[in-house]
Amino acid sequence: RPRVPPWGGKVCGGGIMAAQCVTKVELTVSCESLLDMDLFSKSDPMCVLLINTAGSQWYEVGRTETVKNCLSPKFAKKFIIDYYFELVQRLKFQIYDIDNKTVDLSDDDFLGELDCTLGQVVSCRTFTRPLVLAPKRPAGKGTITVSVIYPIWSLQRNVVLESWMGLLHRQDFFGKSDPFLEFYKQNETGWQLAHRTEVVKRNLNPTWRPFRVPLQSLCDGDMDKPIKVECYDHNNDGSHDLIGIFETNMKRLQEASRTSPAEFECINSQKKQKKKGYKNSGVVSVKMLKEYTFLDYIMGGCQINFTVAIDFTGSNGDPNTPQSLHYISPQGYNEYLSAIWSVGMVIQDYSSHKMFPAFGFGAQIPPTWQVSHQFPLNFNPANPFCPGIQGVVEAYKVCLPQVKLYGPTNFSPVINHLASIALQATQQRTASQYHVLLIITDGVITDMDQTCSAIVNASRLPMSIIIIGVGRADFTAMDILDGDDGRLRAPTGEMAARDIVQFVPFRKFQNAPREALAQSVLAELPGQVESYFRIQKLNPPNDPESQLQPNESQPSASAQ
Ligand SMILES: *[C@@H]1O[C@H](CO)[C@@H](O)[C@H](O)[C@H]1NC(C)=O
Ligand SMILES: *[C@@H]1O[C@H](CO)[C@@H](O)[C@H](O)[C@H]1NC(C)=O
Ligand SMILES: *[C@@H]1O[C@H](CO)[C@@H](O)[C@H](O)[C@H]1NC(C)=O
């Protein structure tokens, strides 16, 4: 099934789903107080992990080793799985007491299971829950803890290196050198150029601009793999003079980055042979700059706040007639509800309190029957929050018969309302909150100019807007808001700082699998979150790397 390339596609290019584009996370499992099934000894537990991505089929990811005679096992084997933000990935961890060596588990005692989503695990980092034998049947006092890490040596990560050089020895008789660096990865046949810096003109203490390079091109994700750095004096005719060479590896650079830059003597072996007392041709310092990814922000405690806004304009049609877009079928279905479920099910995992504000616009509302362009679905302005996605759905169903559909279709009030809340979030100076506004509408915007201004303003805040168009209207005007072909401008000419709007017509997904809508509108969100916090130089509330146990910070035997 074709898939929108994830944000990692930037590195890999061309929208091709190369294996290294996929974000791979590592899960480790431990249990406490398992049921004791064996008569003369303790249980011998083993964990099986099953996955079901986007409502397809369950399949087995792998099994841990069996821990003998233990009711609180810490399984050594890690599960490595592909993470997709925009899909609901259900996980099932099943614990068995292994009595004999058959692959079939039906002859082994079942000690309990955990059913959860990868989104839940990732947003908690360490996820502890009671084990159950069946829904609502606890497995004694047994609990399971799933921890996730997004390893620093993952292939799809980039590293950012900054280098400078001191004490560079004079190369030629005619003044200063024009130095540049070349970074090489080792391969089977020799050395392969990974990056060449710019030339710093006439300088014996050059500082090169920081550069970003995929870990793949620098060391294939192998932290011990040698990296060779050559330093040259640039000549216009291309016959660059070697200044010196040194070797290092990612482990060395990573360790150094925690304390101070790594320093390397640049050695020219010919000079070393010829000159007595030769020490080096200069000392190069290399510093690894930390660059957080979407998962680093989420695992470091960033919350995604989700707000829903629903179009109650008259063009939807009388909700009591089946022709209306607000008509709820006997099966409990309409396009508004479907859009809320589809997007909400993915996003809810990234909010710890799971309270979601929901608003309506374009209706006459009681008691005064004035037209409102932003009213809480629960009619409680002091507390518009609904408990869970189910709560949003309930509030919508209760609200619908109480309002009169009217018009016009104004987006700017809800966008400005959310922008004022997102602005408050910026006062925390950490990457702690990012807001997503889902607007579901049946028609063409009336306040286009105000909406463009509102979006341009919001583009400087930690928020993104998803617009889903329901019904059969002509939505071409919406493509202007979705800045995919050129940055959005306010009527004043002011440009959006970044693209924060994603628009899709619902009808495009009518015959598609259920998860396709969310997949399409959410695929760009991780990139938007990541770029916002990076540009603002905001760090996650907790550094996900500093929380690692010492033995977790290095690659180790893993389950594939
Ligand atoms: C495994 O154990 C079960 C019950 O403990 C038994 O019925 C089954 O025959 C055993 N299988 C093997 C291959 O020993
Ligand atoms: C190793 O690097 C060299 C130099 O770039 C290149 O020509 C060669 O194809 C590479 N070998 C492999 C196996 O990738
Ligand atoms: C955003 O979500 C977090 C946690 O889910 C919550 O504590 C916070 O109050 C929310 N902020 C707003 C403005 O709703």
Side-chain angles (χ1 to χ4, degrees):
R1 169 155 44 94
R3 219 189 133 259
V4 183
W7 56 101
K10 271 176 287 175
V11 179
C12 303
I16 297 158
M17 279 299 298
Q20 66 269 23
C21 286
V22 177
T23 301
K24 289 190 184 297
V25 294
E26 289 187 10
L27 304 181
T28 48
V29 181
S30 62
C31 299
E32 294 277 347
S33 317
L34 290 176
L35 291 172
D36 202 359
M37 292 300 200
D38 294 355
L39 225 42
F40 302 109
S41 68
K42 300 206 169 86
S43 298
D44 303 322
M46 182 270 281
C47 176
V48 185
L49 173 58
L50 305 163
I51 190 166
N52 180 334
T53 294
S56 54
Q57 287 195 330
W58 287 99
Y59 77 88
E60 186 174 319
V61 175
R63 301 177 181 196
T64 65
E65 75 281 12
T66 300
V67 178
K68 287 266 174 224
N69 230 338
C70 179
L71 298 182
S72 297
K74 287 184 169 48
F75 299 106
K77 185 148 155 175
K78 296 175 196 295
F79 297 111
I80 299 182
I81 49 184
D82 296 346
Y83 165 79
Y84 301 105
F85 168 76
E86 68 278 21
L87 296 174
V88 176
Q89 296 178 276
R90 283 180 63 196
L91 303 176
K92 216 178 259 182
F93 296 87
Q94 298 182 324
I95 313 293
Y96 289 91
D97 176 16
I98 300 301
D99 291 321
N100 57 24
K101 287 211 160 58
T102 53
V103 176
D104 185 8
L105 295 168
S106 57
D107 55 12
D108 299 300
D109 288 320
F110 182 54
L111 299 180
E113 68 177 7
L114 166 70
D115 199 332
C116 62
T117 66
L118 184 54
Q120 285 176 312
V121 175
V122 158
S123 60
C124 290
R125 260 206 98 240
T126 301
F127 187 72
T128 302
R129 286 289 182 279
L131 285 165
V132 295
L133 292 169
K136 302 205 168 108
R137 249 189 75 208
K141 291 196 167 69
T143 61
I144 180 168
T145 298
V146 183
S147 306
V148 59
I149 62 168
Y150 174 41
I152 163 98
W153 58 90
S154 290
L155 280 184
Q156 76 276 12
R157 276 191 188 260
N158 294 323
V159 287
V160 180
L161 296 178
E162 181 175 25
S163 15
W164 63 94
M165 190 166 191
L167 314 168
L168 172 57
H169 291 222
R170 187 163 289 218
Q171 282 300 295
D172 43 41
F173 302 108
F174 310 107
K176 298 188 170 166
S177 304
D178 307 317
F180 67 93
L181 300 178
E182 288 183 342
F183 288 74
Y184 288 88
K185 163 171 99 172
Q186 195 174 45
N187 71 11
E188 289 89 42
T189 49
W191 297 93
Q192 190 164 5
L193 185 65
H195 183 81
R196 179 182 292 129
T197 68
E198 78 277 14
V199 176
V200 178
K201 287 275 181 201
R202 301 170 51 73
N203 198 326
L204 294 180
N205 294 291
T207 297
W208 292 278
R209 278 198 302 272
F211 62 90
R212 176 180 293 119
V213 59
L215 209 50
Q216 167 100 41
S217 5
L218 204 54
C219 65
D220 291 322
D222 177 349
M223 303 300 274
D224 294 310
K225 193 169 208 160
I227 297 168
K228 185 170 76 163
V229 184
E230 299 183 347
C231 180
Y232 288 96
D233 180 17
H234 181 268
N235 290 323
N236 281 336
D237 64 5
S239 65
H240 312 309
D241 300 316
L242 181 72
I243 294 174
I245 297 177
F246 63 89
E247 278 186 32
T248 180
N249 60 35
M250 275 310 296
K251 193 189 261 172
R252 171 87 206 274
L253 295 180
Q254 195 201 348
E255 276 162 10
S257 73
R258 296 210 173 113
T259 49
S260 53
E263 292 191 340
F264 303 96
E265 284 187 281
C266 219
I267 304 293
N268 186 322
S269 54
Q270 280 191 348
K271 283 200 179 148
K272 195 172 179 172
Q273 278 169 9
K274 279 195 207 139
K275 280 195 198 160
K276 251 178 66 185
Y278 172 88
K279 270 178 66 192
N280 61 52
S281 301
V283 174
V284 175
S285 303
V286 183
K287 193 170 157 193
M288 205 174 97
L289 306 182
K290 203 160 248 175
E291 188 174 77
Y292 294 109
T293 63
F294 172 72
L295 264 187
D296 293 326
Y297 289 113
I298 292 299
M299 289 166 60
C302 178
Q303 298 282 318
I304 297 187
N305 296 57
F306 181 51
T307 301
V308 179
I310 295 177
D311 181 335
F312 286 98
T313 55
S315 50
N316 282 284
D318 177 358
N320 298 311
T321 63
Q323 291 75 35
S324 170
L325 290 163
H326 278 300
Y327 176 76
I328 300 175
S329 75
Q331 293 77 35
Y333 174 91
N334 72 25
E335 294 188 358
Y336 283 93
L337 288 170
S338 184
I340 296 171
W341 277 120
S342 176
V343 177
M345 288 308 276
V346 172
I347 285 203
Q348 65 171 354
D349 284 346
Y350 299 87
S351 155
S352 63
H353 72 162
K354 306 206 191 309
M355 297 293 290
F356 305 115
F359 299 97
F361 58 89
Q364 294 175 313
I365 60 165
T368 61
W369 303 103
Q370 297 266 4
V371 174
S372 170
H373 299 297
Q374 188 223 317
F375 59 93
L377 291 192
N378 62 7
F379 298 109
N380 181 356
N383 185 9
F385 290 85
C386 306
I389 300 305
Q390 183 69 48
V392 175
V393 166
E394 294 304 325
Y396 165 73
K397 288 181 177 167
V398 172
C399 169
L400 191 56
Q402 299 189 55
V403 300
K404 286 190 192 139
L405 305 200
Y406 207 75
T409 309
N410 289 357
F411 280 13
S412 58
V414 266
I415 296 175
N416 286 331
H417 171 75
L418 197 71
S420 69
I421 287 168
L423 181 63
Q424 286 167 24
T426 61
Q427 283 161 11
Q428 304 202 21
R429 298 312 301 158
T430 64
S432 57
Q433 276 182 26
Y434 194 93
H435 292 263
V436 175
L437 172 62
L438 169 63
I439 302 177
I440 314 172
T441 181
D442 83 319
V444 181
I445 308 184
T446 317
D447 64 338
M448 193 62 173
D449 282 356
Q450 289 91 330
T451 295
C452 288
S453 299
I455 293 172
V456 168
N457 170 45
S459 71
R460 294 180 173 75
L461 296 168
M463 65 182 273
S464 293
I465 301 168
I466 295 167
I467 305 172
I468 296 180
V470 294
R472 256 144 291 283
D474 175 11
F475 290 116
T476 37
M478 300 287 198
D479 288 328
I480 300 171
L481 303 181
D482 186 336
D484 282 351
D485 28 278
R487 231 17 112 59
L488 182 71
R489 274 176 193 277
T492 57
E494 195 190 351
M495 256 218 279
R498 58 203 184 97
D499 179 16
I500 60 163
V501 178
Q502 188 66 25
F503 168 76
V504 297
F506 187 92
R507 59 172 174 260
K508 240 175 82 182
F509 297 92
Q510 219 126 37
N511 301 315
R514 227 170 32 152
E515 67 280 3
L517 176 66
Q519 209 177 332
S520 159
V521 294
L522 292 174
E524 288 180 20
L525 190 66
Q528 292 175 358
V529 172
E530 192 175 286
S531 68
Y532 176 80
F533 289 130
R534 244 188 232 163
I535 292 166
Q536 299 291 323
K537 298 196 167 43
L538 296 178
N539 294 340
N542 310 299
D543 187 337
E545 206 191 321
S546 69
Q547 295 167 22
L548 294 182
Q549 302 301 314
N551 62 354
E552 276 182 311
S553 63
Q554 295 305 327
S556 52
S558 302
Q560 260 298 11

